[in-house]
Amino acid sequence: QVQLVESGGGLVQAGGSLRLSCTASGRTFSSYGMGWFRQAPGKEREFVAAVTWSGKTTNYADSVTGRFIISRDNAKNTVYLQMNSLKPEDTAVYYCAATEFYYSNLEADYGSWGQGTQVTVSS
């Protein structure tokens, strides 16, 4: 498995931007598909975005399409989530995760998870 540590969360006003980072250690980062998920208070964890090991293919939840961008830098063992035009409903704990699949939007396909980083969007 790979160890994951997220950073970059915080408090931002609606319409603002944040960039989350997730740095991996352990087994070869570039062999994993990577994803971002989020969990809002009182709700189940949901898929946000995913990227293949090469970074060439991405997938997004409908709620963030056009606002969020997932990318990765395999030389730095890091995956990013650029979040633009943030809305109060984006408030959640954001988790990065690694999958041995090409990539996936299914939580069950991910075997390694970070501890999460809080994103709060004020109205």
Side-chain angles (χ1 to χ4, degrees):
Q1 292 190 345
V2 63
Q3 290 74 49
L4 304 171
V5 178
E6 302 98 333
S7 62
L11 174 64
V12 63
Q13 289 188 334
S17 298
L18 280 176
R19 188 177 79 157
L20 306 182
S21 300
C22 173
T23 301
S25 60
R27 294 181 61 186
T28 306
F29 173 74
S30 60
S31 66
Y32 289 89
M34 297 298 296
W36 286 96
F37 291 76
R38 67 186 181 185
Q39 187 168 21
K43 296 186 177 181
E44 294 186 351
R45 190 155 55 184
E46 65 176 3
F47 170 76
V48 175
V51 62
T52 57
W53 65 270
S54 67
K56 292 183 178 180
T57 302
T58 57
N59 189 30
Y60 297 93
D62 289 345
S63 60
V64 306
T65 297
R67 299 188 298 123
F68 290 12
I69 300 171
I70 187 171
S71 63
R72 66 190 296 163
D73 185 339
N74 287 339
K76 296 182 178 180
N77 284 4
T78 301
V79 61
Y80 304 98
L81 186 67
Q82 178 66 44
M83 305 186 294
N84 302 318
S85 302
L86 283 160
K87 305 175 181 180
E89 51 264 43
D90 294 318
T91 295
V93 177
Y94 283 72
Y95 299 89
C96 72
T99 178
E100 294 184 357
F101 290 89
Y102 188 54
Y103 74 113
S104 174
N105 63 352
L106 300 177
E107 184 175 344
D109 287 341
Y110 288 82
S112 298
W113 293 82
Q115 82 289 349
T117 185
Q118 177 70 47
V119 172
T120 303
V121 184
S122 63
S123 57

